Structure formats: C-alpha cells, structure tokens
Amino acid sequence: MIQVPVHLSHLDELEAEAVHIVREVAAELERPVLLFSGGKDSIVLLRLAEKAFRPGKFPFPVMHVDTGHNFPEVLEYRDRRVAELGETLLVASVQESIDNGRVVEETGPRASRNQLQTTTLLDAIEQHRFDAAIGGARRDEERARAKERIFSFRDDFGQWNPRAQRPELWNLYNGRLRRGEQVRVFPISNWTELDVWQYIARENLELPPIYFAHEREVFRRDGMLYAVSEFVERQDDEDPFTVSVRFRTVGDMSCTGAVASEARSLEDVVAEIAATRVTERGETRADDRASEAAMEDRKRVGYF
C-alpha cells in the first residue's frame, strides 16, 4: 500500500518543535516551572503545554513574576485562564521583594519596577528549588534574544554568559545541570511575532482585551503612548488625551507603550503585524531603549 507523505504547514512544524521541547524539559529536568504573564507569547506556551500533556495535568506549576504594576485586564485573564485549566498558579511578587528589603523601588517620573523582577525571579527559583524555567522569549524580539540557545544555561547566581552555552546540533538538548546551575528554556525561540499571531488565530485563543484596539486615555513620552495610570508619574507637559490604541506586548505599565491602531479583530491584528517593520519591543518597551545593550545587560544578571 502506497503511503502518501504528510506535508506539514509552517505553523505545524513550529508547533511540533515546541511541543517536543516542552516534553524534553519534563523528561530531563526534575523541577521545572512554566512562566506565565498573561501575555500573548505565554498564552501560546500554555496551549503548547496542553498539547504536550493533556488529558493529564501539567508536570510543572505555572508562575507569574508580578511587578504589582501590571494591567488589570491581564491579571484578570491570568487568574481566570489558569483556573479554567485547573493548574497551579504561583505568584512571585516584586512588592514583597520591596517590602522585604531585597530590592529598592525607583522613584520619579521614569521609575519602573521592570528591572526589579530579576531578584524576585531568582528568589522564587531558589525558594521552590526550580531547576528550569520555561519562558516565551523569541529570537526576533531583540538583539540579545537572538543570541539565546533554546536551553539557556545560567550559573549558580542566575547569570547568563552567551559564550558558555552548549551546542544544540540536530535539535538535541543536553539538560544535564552542574551543581547550582539552572536553565531557562524557550520553546518558541524560532517563532516570529507574526507566527504567534497566526497561531493564536488558528487555535482561536482568547487574549486579554488590551491586545485589540480600544479607546484609552494615554499621554505621549519619548515618542511612545503610555496608559494613564496611578503607577506612572506624569511630567508637567505630558497632557492626557484619548485615542484608539492597542498593545503589542504587555508588562509593567510604567515601561510598556501602546500603538495607535484600529485593529479590533484577530484578522486585523495579523494584517497589521504583517505590514510592520519595527519589532514590538523596539516600538513599545521603554526599558529596551535605555541603551543598545539594555536587554543583554539585564540578562547577564539573571533576567528572563
């Protein structure tokens, strides 16, 4: 009997690779955790974990490093989605890190808690004895991300050295850890922002509403549109106004900008992303504009 070869679509191939990686983490590491912020990339990670392990439960908990300055729509979605899945949600709190004296909160109009997440994450990894953290970073996001291997090894201080990473020939992943070592794993490294949106559309995944165009009160700073909130101190010349915007990425409200948009459906967003030539972080994340090596500097001391 003649067997007809199966031709996988581009998204099928990306999905199969990512599911394989997630299963490898569960097989090779003892205490992994899946990082989930309620953002689009981590929403895709949840779906991939479902495809890897359902009808069973995930062999790891889900954890959010919460700055305390997140968009309320995203936090509502985070709690509801994890509850629907019946999985365990851990919340590592930056506010608790501040209260315990582990980090010092910045002050002033440009203050942000985003960089404080590193200490909170490393403390949570130590507290729960996690040896692997699965994240939704992609190589197309930023220059430093492009240097990442899929299994990104960190030393016993959580630090990343791009020159001390292991080869991943033929998609073989060596998860053996030395004493004190930990690993960050990025199953969707080879995806682009457009791939993520096309996959969301194909899987008909629900998203927090801020990813779609809506009327919002914002103010302009350094060419970016920031949501007016209690967490961001405006300067005298930063007058608020209302406009139709959406967010390409979500995070701390103090450093996450919106884009002017009328894209109110998945189809409209996919078309908009296909036409853009600026990365989401380059357009809407103030913390990545601090210097050309801002992301790499943060990663070297333990950032995601």
Side-chain angles (χ1 to χ4, degrees):
M1 185 175 181
I2 299 176
Q3 291 186 338
V4 179
V6 176
H7 296 285
L8 299 178
S9 70
H10 176 58
L11 290 180
D12 288 334
E13 292 181 352
L14 289 174
E15 179 189 73
E17 177 189 51
V19 167
H20 167 68
I21 293 166
V22 172
R23 287 173 174 163
E24 281 293 299
V25 175
E28 293 191 43
L29 282 303
E30 293 184 4
R31 295 182 64 85
V33 64
L34 189 149
L35 301 177
F36 179 66
S37 66
K40 65 182 187 308
D41 299 310
S42 59
I43 289 169
V44 167
L45 279 186
L46 275 189
R47 173 49 59 93
L48 294 169
E50 284 186 86
K51 296 205 172 186
F53 304 113
R54 286 299 191 241
K57 290 181 68 66
F58 297 170
F60 38 67
V62 175
M63 183 171 75
H64 180 210
V65 180
D66 185 0
T67 67
H69 292 175
N70 295 92
F71 291 89
E73 301 98 321
V74 177
L75 294 180
E76 185 279 329
Y77 173 89
R78 177 201 71 185
D79 294 341
R80 177 167 50 82
R81 184 70 187 115
V82 176
E84 289 170 353
L85 291 172
E87 298 296 340
T88 300
L89 174 65
L90 305 175
V91 177
S93 169
V94 171
Q95 183 62 57
E96 289 185 8
S97 296
I98 295 170
D99 295 342
N100 294 333
R102 293 287 295 143
V103 294
V104 177
E105 184 159 25
E106 300 174 5
T107 59
R110 298 182 183 277
S112 171
R113 288 185 172 185
N114 200 52
Q115 294 193 41
L116 305 185
Q117 293 179 91
T118 298
T119 298
T120 305
L121 171 65
L122 294 177
D123 285 351
I125 288 175
E126 181 177 4
Q127 175 188 349
H128 297 284
R129 296 184 293 112
F130 293 132
D131 53 8
I134 306 168
R138 307 185 322 271
R139 290 186 178 125
D140 73 323
E141 288 182 70
E142 202 273 342
R143 294 177 183 176
R145 294 292 194 201
K147 299 180 181 180
E148 287 275 22
R149 300 284 167 83
I150 289 174
F151 274 45
S152 179
F153 290 87
R154 312 297 174 97
D155 64 20
D156 51 358
F157 296 103
Q159 297 176 332
W160 174 69
N161 181 353
R163 297 184 179 182
Q165 301 299 308
R166 302 175 189 176
E168 294 177 340
L169 305 176
W170 305 293
N171 294 330
L172 297 176
Y173 308 108
N174 179 0
R176 182 176 299 173
L177 298 179
R178 302 180 182 92
R179 183 181 297 274
E181 215 173 25
Q182 56 187 256
V183 62
R184 312 285 169 79
V185 183
F186 305 112
I188 61 172
S189 285
N190 293 327
W191 299 45
T192 65
E193 184 184 8
L194 182 58
D195 293 329
V196 166
W197 278 103
Q198 289 176 333
Y199 188 78
I200 288 169
R202 189 186 82 171
E203 299 292 308
N204 194 29
L205 300 179
E206 181 191 359
L207 295 172
I210 66 171
Y211 275 114
F212 302 98
H214 58 288
E215 298 292 319
R216 198 177 197 106
E217 192 176 25
V218 299
F219 66 93
R220 191 177 301 277
R221 174 185 293 175
D222 301 331
M224 291 172 53
L225 299 176
Y226 289 84
V228 173
S229 80
E230 61 182 306
F231 307 129
V232 185
E233 179 183 336
R234 299 200 312 276
Q235 302 181 75
D236 292 340
D237 60 343
E238 294 175 337
D239 298 324
F241 57 95
T242 301
V243 67
S244 177
V245 298
R246 71 176 188 86
F247 290 84
R248 291 178 66 182
T249 181
V250 300
D252 192 294
M253 295 182 74
S254 63
C255 62
T256 303
V259 294
S261 174
E262 297 293 337
R264 288 176 163 79
S265 67
L266 278 173
E267 293 74 16
D268 292 341
V269 173
V270 169
E272 193 172 272
I273 294 300
T276 190
R277 293 296 178 267
V278 181
T279 66
E280 63 204 276
R281 297 192 71 96
E283 184 175 25
T284 64
R285 291 299 290 266
D287 50 332
D288 288 337
R289 295 184 174 192
S291 73
E292 289 190 5
M295 171 66 82
E296 183 160 342
D297 290 342
R298 295 200 306 277
K299 284 169 54 59
R300 286 183 184 275
V301 295
Y303 191 73
F304 303 118

